[in-house]
Amino acid sequence: MILVILAILVWCLGWWLNSRLANSPASKTRAVQLLVPAIFGITVLVVWELLVRGLAVSLVILPAPSVIAARFASSLPILWEDFAQTILKGALGGYVIGCGAAFLTAILVDRSDFLRRGLLPVGNFVAALPIVGTAPILVMWFGFDWHSKAAVVVVMVFFPMLVNTVAGLRETSAMQRDLMQTYAATYWQSFFKLRLPAALPFVFNGLKISTTLALIGAIVAEFFGSPTVGMGFRISTSVGQLALDMVWAEIVVAALAGSAFYGLVALIEKSFTFWHPSQRG
């Protein structure tokens, strides 16, 4: 009971401290903007630890953060193998292939009314298909290794990236395109000097959306067939063994990888679209 009361006090303290920082004159500074979410995260972990131990929650239901950290530290070789199999091979490979193919297809769609009217509706249909339906089929087609996981990722990221890129390429106004024609610019000159720069915010929006989809696709696809390595394989087998601390350790790896992946793409976006209003402030 003492730990539960302490958890409530810690939560109130964290709430009060964040409220003070958020409403302070220095709330717009970079340091405070980083400190506020850090305090919130630490508060959640401390409250989680205190409540789990104070209420004697079973390890099978919810392990304490300290238990998860201990399992994480003791399983680094296994976690690294799973990370390399699922993220570096399946997710990243499918991400590069899917987004690259979608970008090239978007250029063809932009130049053809037939493709734009015929392919995009099909894309919306395919994007709506559940992964639990397409993943088993692709696993049977491409085998149980990472190639089938990459194929699932390609299917998941292709059409969101395609739709965003096509919308970006049509972002320029008719007056801007007519002005390029008056300068006798070719299609590719107009593309690289006008349309592609205007489309970059849309392209990077598709890339950022695809980072999350790639991780989800690669992990979920491993539930339907995988060699004895991979994050999805490890999660499914650990659940069957009631080793919930290992499941949470894999979740931590996925969260860190997803955050780093998204942050890297956002950082690249900022360097390429520094002129866009969304990057100001």
Side-chain angles (χ1 to χ4, degrees):
M1 193 63 180
I2 296 177
L3 293 179
V4 175
I5 296 174
L6 185 58
I8 296 174
L9 292 176
V10 170
W11 178 262
C12 293
L13 178 62
W15 186 288
W16 174 81
L17 185 57
N18 264 356
S19 298
R20 291 292 299 271
L21 289 173
N23 296 322
S24 67
S27 61
K28 299 297 183 181
T29 62
R30 183 66 175 172
V32 173
Q33 291 178 347
L34 293 174
L35 188 58
V36 169
I39 292 174
F40 180 80
I42 293 172
T43 302
V44 170
L45 290 176
V46 173
V47 171
W48 179 356
E49 180 80 23
L50 293 173
L51 287 177
V52 168
R53 296 194 179 278
L55 298 174
V57 179
S58 172
L59 176 65
V60 176
I61 298 176
L62 182 64
S66 59
V67 176
I68 299 172
R71 185 57 182 262
F72 186 96
S74 64
S75 304
L76 287 177
I78 296 175
L79 294 174
W80 170 252
E81 291 180 1
D82 293 342
F83 172 82
Q85 174 74 14
T86 303
I87 306 299
L88 299 183
K89 294 181 180 179
L92 190 58
Y95 179 86
V96 172
I97 296 172
C99 291
F103 183 82
L104 297 177
T105 305
I107 297 175
L108 297 177
V109 170
D110 180 66
R111 302 197 66 178
S112 171
D113 287 336
F114 173 76
L115 286 178
R116 183 168 59 252
R117 295 177 181 179
L119 184 60
L120 292 183
V122 175
N124 293 329
F125 171 77
V126 174
L129 294 176
I131 184 176
V132 294
T134 57
I137 298 174
L138 294 174
V139 168
M140 296 304 298
W141 286 357
F142 295 97
F144 291 96
D145 208 348
W146 65 269
H147 308 85
S148 59
K149 317 311 179 289
V152 173
V153 173
V154 169
V155 172
M156 291 193 68
V157 306
F158 181 85
F159 288 105
M161 183 66 187
L162 175 65
V163 170
N164 276 277
T165 305
V166 170
L169 292 176
R170 301 183 65 83
E171 176 67 9
T172 54
S173 65
M175 183 178 296
Q176 291 172 322
R177 293 192 293 269
D178 290 342
L179 180 61
M180 294 297 292
Q181 290 181 354
T182 62
Y183 292 147
T186 64
Y187 173 84
W188 293 112
Q189 289 174 328
S190 177
F191 177 83
F192 286 110
K193 295 181 181 297
L194 173 65
R195 307 186 71 189
L196 181 58
L200 282 180
F202 291 83
V203 173
F204 278 103
N205 186 53
L207 290 173
K208 289 189 292 186
I209 293 172
S210 297
T211 58
T212 304
L213 294 176
L215 294 179
I216 295 173
I219 293 174
V220 173
E222 289 182 343
F223 282 84
F224 299 96
S226 174
T228 57
V229 66
M231 298 174 68
F233 166 81
R234 196 75 56 195
I235 290 172
S236 62
T237 54
S238 297
V239 168
Q241 298 168 355
L242 300 180
L244 270 296
D245 52 348
M246 189 63 184
V247 174
W248 279 97
E250 293 283 0
I251 292 173
V252 170
V253 173
L256 293 175
S259 300
F261 197 4
Y262 185 93
L264 178 61
V265 174
L267 187 63
I268 297 173
E269 176 189 19
K270 193 169 185 178
S271 64
F272 276 89
T273 62
F274 57 89
W275 47 268
H276 196 263
S278 63
Q279 302 298 332
R280 299 173 187 169

